[in-house]
Amino acid sequence: MRKVIAAFNMTLDGNCDHTAGLPDEVVHRHYSDLLDRSDVILYGRTTYQLMEFWRTILENPSGEKAMDTFAAAIDRIPKIIFSRSLKQVDWKSASLAEGELKETVELYKRQPGRDILIRKSKSDTTIDEAKADRRIAIVHSPGRSRKGHLAV
């Protein structure tokens, strides 16, 4: 059976704000590998809109191999977006969810294939909703703490 993996970044002091971390080459390689071992990623609207940044790297490569490789990996993987406010998405590899998260995860788990990634801004709720065989991939990295201080 396919694994369902909730993957997210966390600063050393426990801040899970995606915009707070300072990803480096190792983090980009880790997530590129994770994406390459998966068939689909499930996003909430907020995280999906943050990830759209990588489309600019595809259009104008950074020159940093790990970043450019990650941009290609995130572009390639099919993305299912769970949103009540978005009416359409224009990323070729993205589509709006047609059902609820739990049902979507169950559908993918029954199909043959590689891992299923979940990334919504409220990951704890997401994991519980999915009733997944849980694997949580947390990447600790330096970044801004909840109080705005640099945590290294």
Side-chain angles (χ1 to χ4, degrees), residues 7-145:
F8 53 95
N9 297 331
M10 179 186 295
T11 59
L12 295 174
D13 72 341
N15 189 1
C16 291
D17 179 353
H18 184 76
T19 62
L22 302 170
D24 60 11
E25 181 179 340
V26 173
V27 171
H28 286 122
R29 278 198 325 260
H30 167 76
Y31 280 113
S32 292
D33 292 344
L34 193 59
L35 289 165
D36 288 342
R37 292 191 312 265
S38 304
D39 280 335
V40 66
I41 189 164
L42 311 178
Y43 279 133
R45 177 195 54 81
T46 302
T47 305
Y48 168 73
Q49 289 176 324
L50 283 170
M51 298 309 288
E52 285 185 303
F53 160 80
W54 293 99
R55 295 168 72 181
T56 64
I57 299 295
L58 284 170
E59 294 167 10
N60 299 300
S62 69
E64 294 183 34
K65 184 179 181 192
M67 280 182 71
D68 296 344
T69 299
F70 176 80
I74 198 67
D75 183 57
R76 218 176 14 250
I77 193 166
K79 293 165 264 313
I80 309 296
I81 316 309
F82 292 83
S83 173
R84 288 183 175 80
S85 59
L86 287 178
K87 302 302 177 211
Q88 65 182 28
V89 292
D90 65 352
W91 198 340
K92 267 191 320 188
S93 55
S95 61
L96 291 171
E98 295 180 12
E100 295 298 317
L101 176 66
K102 181 179 177 183
E103 289 76 28
T104 302
V105 169
E106 288 173 357
L107 174 70
Y108 275 101
K109 283 179 71 175
R110 286 192 300 267
Q111 298 172 358
R114 297 180 293 172
D115 295 338
I116 303 159
L117 300 176
I118 295 179
R119 183 59 183 109
K120 282 178 60 176
S121 58
K122 296 181 177 131
S123 291
D124 54 345
T125 303
T126 302
I127 295 165
D128 287 341
E129 284 177 38
K131 302 291 184 223
D133 297 328
R134 298 169 185 167
R135 176 174 170 208
I136 301 173
I138 301 171
V139 174
H140 284 104
S141 62
R144 297 279 169 208
S145 71

